[in-house]
Amino acid sequence: MGLVKDWGDVAMSETDEREIEALLADIASLKEKRRAVFLVHNYQLEEIQEIADYLGDSLGLGQQAQKSDAQVIVLCGVEFMAETAKLLNPEKTVLLPEEHAGCPMADMITEEELVALKEEHPRAKVVAYVNTTVATKAHTDICCTSSNATKVVGTLGEDQQIIFIPDKYLGAYVEKETGRSMILWNGFCPTHARLLVEDILIAKREHPRAKVMAHPECRPEVLDMADAVRSTGGMIRYVSEVDDKEFIVGTEIGMVTTLRRRYPERKFYSAASEKLICPNMKMTTLRSVKRALEEMTNEIIIPERYIAPARKAIERMVAVGRGESG
Ligand code: 13P
Ligand code: SF4
């Protein structure tokens, strides 16, 4: 198994074969010793996807974390995903192999900003995308992911005023799908925001028979060009539901790897290759997984005052389950 895999021409990790074999053997024995499980997000490097016990989207990772009976959860993704796993399993040890693997969108709204926004709109309920910090989740009524945002909003009464944080593009997509207007925050994903209409036009010109899939974090004008707007997990299901053989993938480039591994007989093209790299998602390597398990470092600790309210918002989301917003 080589670790330099092609996403178009983008190579992300270079570890030689012998080192890989040694790392895999060490990780396997540490995993057994710690009674650990590896929950891996769809955007992770191929080397990490290959050691996954579960590979999926944000909602799937939360659902798996809730079901898991392992002592230690190694969450290969970004911080908010590990925090969600911890909130659902306060008694377990949750490790994030790379301490600095955060989500810039989650940092686009602070606890203080959300509290001030709620004061401006005292009757509004807060729906928070899971891509938020625990501090903001603690002031949230219900969380959502890209796979159930529309369904979550649909659980709130027709006349209910809604504050939706932090992703203005996902929020606008939900508004369009539901016909409801919400108070949106001005957050966005820097990676998905780089994908432009011109990129889709070029990709369509190069692959005229390909269906276009786009993540709802993309700009509205990009979503308007998509055949399917889906979460990462939703993209996997979409491919299984259609007969098409070629797909343009409008999301983080790791998803091209996930789809190629899952459907080797079909063709997947990134909508914009290098532009669609989330650096935080690419931090985790076999070396970091080994280190985390060896030293039991980067354990997720959530301040006591946030645990109960943030957990409630997450549990409400998990109870709603998957929707077809993506
Ligand atoms: P998914 O829940 O669709 O996997 O998305 C997570 C994410 O961070 C998208 O950028
Ligand atoms: Fe956050 Fe965007 Fe990276 Fe997803 S792709 S983790 S939203 S920065």
PDB file of all heavy atoms in Angstrom, residues 43 78 80 102-105 131 189-192 217 252 278 280-281, ligand 2:
ATOM      1  N   TYR A  43     -13.253  12.969   4.761  1.00  0.00           N
ATOM      2  CA  TYR A  43     -12.234  13.819   4.138  1.00  0.00           C
ATOM      3  C   TYR A  43     -10.808  13.413   4.523  1.00  0.00           C
ATOM      4  O   TYR A  43      -9.839  14.044   4.080  1.00  0.00           O
ATOM      5  CB  TYR A  43     -12.387  15.277   4.580  1.00  0.00           C
ATOM      6  CG  TYR A  43     -13.626  16.009   4.133  1.00  0.00           C
ATOM      7  CD1 TYR A  43     -14.040  17.158   4.817  1.00  0.00           C
ATOM      8  CD2 TYR A  43     -14.362  15.614   3.034  1.00  0.00           C
ATOM      9  CE1 TYR A  43     -15.154  17.873   4.426  1.00  0.00           C
ATOM     10  CE2 TYR A  43     -15.492  16.322   2.645  1.00  0.00           C
ATOM     11  CZ  TYR A  43     -15.887  17.451   3.340  1.00  0.00           C
ATOM     12  OH  TYR A  43     -16.987  18.158   2.959  1.00  0.00           O
ATOM     13  N   VAL A  78     -11.880  16.605  12.671  1.00  0.00           N
ATOM     14  CA  VAL A  78     -11.529  17.884  13.294  1.00  0.00           C
ATOM     15  C   VAL A  78     -12.197  17.994  14.669  1.00  0.00           C
ATOM     16  O   VAL A  78     -13.035  17.180  15.040  1.00  0.00           O
ATOM     17  CB  VAL A  78     -11.870  19.088  12.377  1.00  0.00           C
ATOM     18  CG1 VAL A  78     -10.963  19.113  11.155  1.00  0.00           C
ATOM     19  CG2 VAL A  78     -13.329  19.087  11.974  1.00  0.00           C
ATOM     20  N   PHE A  80     -14.447  19.703  16.336  1.00  0.00           N
ATOM     21  CA  PHE A  80     -15.865  19.665  16.723  1.00  0.00           C
ATOM     22  C   PHE A  80     -16.410  18.241  16.642  1.00  0.00           C
ATOM     23  O   PHE A  80     -17.340  17.885  17.379  1.00  0.00           O
ATOM     24  CB  PHE A  80     -16.707  20.657  15.896  1.00  0.00           C
ATOM     25  CG  PHE A  80     -16.998  20.240  14.481  1.00  0.00           C
ATOM     26  CD1 PHE A  80     -18.038  19.357  14.193  1.00  0.00           C
ATOM     27  CD2 PHE A  80     -16.264  20.740  13.419  1.00  0.00           C
ATOM     28  CE1 PHE A  80     -18.319  18.971  12.894  1.00  0.00           C
ATOM     29  CE2 PHE A  80     -16.537  20.364  12.116  1.00  0.00           C
ATOM     30  CZ  PHE A  80     -17.561  19.470  11.850  1.00  0.00           C
ATOM     31  N   GLY A 102      -8.587  21.965  13.773  1.00  0.00           N
ATOM     32  CA  GLY A 102      -9.852  22.641  14.100  1.00  0.00           C
ATOM     33  C   GLY A 102     -10.665  22.866  12.843  1.00  0.00           C
ATOM     34  O   GLY A 102     -10.297  22.423  11.759  1.00  0.00           O
ATOM     35  N   CYS A 103     -11.780  23.542  12.994  1.00  0.00           N
ATOM     36  CA  CYS A 103     -12.584  23.914  11.818  1.00  0.00           C
ATOM     37  C   CYS A 103     -12.728  25.427  11.855  1.00  0.00           C
ATOM     38  O   CYS A 103     -13.371  25.968  12.766  1.00  0.00           O
ATOM     39  CB  CYS A 103     -13.959  23.246  11.886  1.00  0.00           C
ATOM     40  SG  CYS A 103     -15.123  23.911  10.663  1.00  0.00           S
ATOM     41  N   PRO A 104     -12.134  26.133  10.886  1.00  0.00           N
ATOM     42  CA  PRO A 104     -12.202  27.598  10.929  1.00  0.00           C
ATOM     43  C   PRO A 104     -13.627  28.136  10.958  1.00  0.00           C
ATOM     44  O   PRO A 104     -13.890  29.175  11.570  1.00  0.00           O
ATOM     45  CB  PRO A 104     -11.481  28.045   9.651  1.00  0.00           C
ATOM     46  CG  PRO A 104     -10.906  26.833   9.030  1.00  0.00           C
ATOM     47  CD  PRO A 104     -11.339  25.618   9.784  1.00  0.00           C
ATOM     48  N   MET A 105     -14.559  27.410  10.336  1.00  0.00           N
ATOM     49  CA  MET A 105     -15.938  27.902  10.376  1.00  0.00           C
ATOM     50  C   MET A 105     -16.474  27.914  11.805  1.00  0.00           C
ATOM     51  O   MET A 105     -17.201  28.824  12.201  1.00  0.00           O
ATOM     52  CB  MET A 105     -16.843  27.040   9.504  1.00  0.00           C
ATOM     53  CG  MET A 105     -18.205  27.664   9.381  1.00  0.00           C
ATOM     54  SD  MET A 105     -19.554  26.579   8.972  1.00  0.00           S
ATOM     55  CE  MET A 105     -19.092  25.771   7.525  1.00  0.00           C
ATOM     56  N   ASN A 131     -20.696  22.149  13.172  1.00  0.00           N
ATOM     57  CA  ASN A 131     -19.390  22.801  12.996  1.00  0.00           C
ATOM     58  C   ASN A 131     -19.360  24.078  13.841  1.00  0.00           C
ATOM     59  O   ASN A 131     -19.292  25.200  13.332  1.00  0.00           O
ATOM     60  CB  ASN A 131     -19.161  23.157  11.517  1.00  0.00           C
ATOM     61  CG  ASN A 131     -19.228  21.963  10.592  1.00  0.00           C
ATOM     62  OD1 ASN A 131     -20.063  21.076  10.768  1.00  0.00           O
ATOM     63  ND2 ASN A 131     -18.375  21.929   9.588  1.00  0.00           N
ATOM     64  N   CYS A 189     -17.455  28.132   5.184  1.00  0.00           N
ATOM     65  CA  CYS A 189     -16.276  27.257   5.138  1.00  0.00           C
ATOM     66  C   CYS A 189     -15.302  27.825   4.110  1.00  0.00           C
ATOM     67  O   CYS A 189     -15.642  27.921   2.920  1.00  0.00           O
ATOM     68  CB  CYS A 189     -16.687  25.847   4.739  1.00  0.00           C
ATOM     69  SG  CYS A 189     -15.259  24.874   4.210  1.00  0.00           S
ATOM     70  N   PRO A 190     -14.084  28.182   4.526  1.00  0.00           N
ATOM     71  CA  PRO A 190     -13.132  28.772   3.577  1.00  0.00           C
ATOM     72  C   PRO A 190     -12.805  27.827   2.422  1.00  0.00           C
ATOM     73  O   PRO A 190     -12.531  28.286   1.305  1.00  0.00           O
ATOM     74  CB  PRO A 190     -11.884  29.034   4.421  1.00  0.00           C
ATOM     75  CG  PRO A 190     -12.323  28.954   5.846  1.00  0.00           C
ATOM     76  CD  PRO A 190     -13.541  28.083   5.899  1.00  0.00           C
ATOM     77  N   THR A 191     -12.833  26.534   2.672  1.00  0.00           N
ATOM     78  CA  THR A 191     -12.519  25.579   1.599  1.00  0.00           C
ATOM     79  C   THR A 191     -13.650  25.555   0.569  1.00  0.00           C
ATOM     80  O   THR A 191     -13.416  25.748  -0.636  1.00  0.00           O
ATOM     81  CB  THR A 191     -12.289  24.172   2.194  1.00  0.00           C
ATOM     82  OG1 THR A 191     -11.205  24.250   3.129  1.00  0.00           O
ATOM     83  CG2 THR A 191     -11.971  23.153   1.117  1.00  0.00           C
ATOM     84  N   HIS A 192     -14.862  25.341   1.017  1.00  0.00           N
ATOM     85  CA  HIS A 192     -15.984  25.260   0.065  1.00  0.00           C
ATOM     86  C   HIS A 192     -16.253  26.594  -0.626  1.00  0.00           C
ATOM     87  O   HIS A 192     -16.708  26.625  -1.770  1.00  0.00           O
ATOM     88  CB  HIS A 192     -17.245  24.755   0.772  1.00  0.00           C
ATOM     89  CG  HIS A 192     -17.191  23.286   1.067  1.00  0.00           C
ATOM     90  ND1 HIS A 192     -16.566  22.787   2.189  1.00  0.00           N
ATOM     91  CD2 HIS A 192     -17.645  22.212   0.369  1.00  0.00           C
ATOM     92  CE1 HIS A 192     -16.657  21.466   2.184  1.00  0.00           C
ATOM     93  NE2 HIS A 192     -17.297  21.090   1.091  1.00  0.00           N
ATOM     94  N   GLU A 217     -22.345  23.390   1.900  1.00  0.00           N
ATOM     95  CA  GLU A 217     -21.490  24.498   2.349  1.00  0.00           C
ATOM     96  C   GLU A 217     -21.009  25.350   1.172  1.00  0.00           C
ATOM     97  O   GLU A 217     -20.359  26.380   1.368  1.00  0.00           O
ATOM     98  CB  GLU A 217     -20.265  23.954   3.098  1.00  0.00           C
ATOM     99  CG  GLU A 217     -20.593  23.412   4.467  1.00  0.00           C
ATOM    100  CD  GLU A 217     -19.393  22.802   5.156  1.00  0.00           C
ATOM    101  OE1 GLU A 217     -18.253  23.032   4.721  1.00  0.00           O
ATOM    102  OE2 GLU A 217     -19.606  22.074   6.143  1.00  0.00           O
ATOM    103  N   GLU A 252     -14.715  18.874  -0.387  1.00  0.00           N
ATOM    104  CA  GLU A 252     -13.298  18.681  -0.037  1.00  0.00           C
ATOM    105  C   GLU A 252     -12.746  17.460  -0.779  1.00  0.00           C
ATOM    106  O   GLU A 252     -13.426  16.435  -0.939  1.00  0.00           O
ATOM    107  CB  GLU A 252     -13.186  18.501   1.485  1.00  0.00           C
ATOM    108  CG  GLU A 252     -11.876  18.959   2.075  1.00  0.00           C
ATOM    109  CD  GLU A 252     -10.759  17.949   2.011  1.00  0.00           C
ATOM    110  OE1 GLU A 252     -11.048  16.745   1.875  1.00  0.00           O
ATOM    111  OE2 GLU A 252      -9.578  18.356   2.084  1.00  0.00           O
ATOM    112  N   CYS A 278      -9.010  20.981   2.625  1.00  0.00           N
ATOM    113  CA  CYS A 278      -9.156  21.522   3.985  1.00  0.00           C
ATOM    114  C   CYS A 278      -7.894  21.123   4.745  1.00  0.00           C
ATOM    115  O   CYS A 278      -7.706  19.950   5.070  1.00  0.00           O
ATOM    116  CB  CYS A 278     -10.391  20.938   4.665  1.00  0.00           C
ATOM    117  SG  CYS A 278     -10.469  21.365   6.429  1.00  0.00           S
ATOM    118  N   ASN A 280      -6.914  21.397   7.715  1.00  0.00           N
ATOM    119  CA  ASN A 280      -7.142  20.787   9.034  1.00  0.00           C
ATOM    120  C   ASN A 280      -7.484  19.312   8.923  1.00  0.00           C
ATOM    121  O   ASN A 280      -7.078  18.498   9.744  1.00  0.00           O
ATOM    122  CB  ASN A 280      -8.266  21.533   9.756  1.00  0.00           C
ATOM    123  CG  ASN A 280      -7.841  22.935  10.099  1.00  0.00           C
ATOM    124  OD1 ASN A 280      -7.142  23.149  11.065  1.00  0.00           O
ATOM    125  ND2 ASN A 280      -8.206  23.889   9.256  1.00  0.00           N
ATOM    126  N   MET A 281      -8.242  18.971   7.895  1.00  0.00           N
ATOM    127  CA  MET A 281      -8.618  17.575   7.689  1.00  0.00           C
ATOM    128  C   MET A 281      -7.427  16.729   7.246  1.00  0.00           C
ATOM    129  O   MET A 281      -7.468  15.512   7.327  1.00  0.00           O
ATOM    130  CB  MET A 281      -9.724  17.492   6.629  1.00  0.00           C
ATOM    131  CG  MET A 281     -11.083  17.803   7.184  1.00  0.00           C
ATOM    132  SD  MET A 281     -11.650  16.401   8.182  1.00  0.00           S
ATOM    133  CE  MET A 281     -13.262  17.002   8.684  1.00  0.00           C
TER     134      MET A 281
HETATM  135 FE1  SF4 B   2     -14.505  23.053   8.554  1.00  0.00          FE
HETATM  136 FE2  SF4 B   2     -14.662  23.465   5.923  1.00  0.00          FE
HETATM  137 FE3  SF4 B   2     -12.745  21.911   6.881  1.00  0.00          FE
HETATM  138 FE4  SF4 B   2     -15.312  21.099   6.893  1.00  0.00          FE
HETATM  139  S1  SF4 B   2     -14.016  21.491   5.118  1.00  0.00           S
HETATM  140  S2  SF4 B   2     -13.837  20.936   8.568  1.00  0.00           S
HETATM  141  S3  SF4 B   2     -16.343  23.052   7.308  1.00  0.00           S
HETATM  142  S4  SF4 B   2     -13.021  24.111   7.268  1.00  0.00           S
END
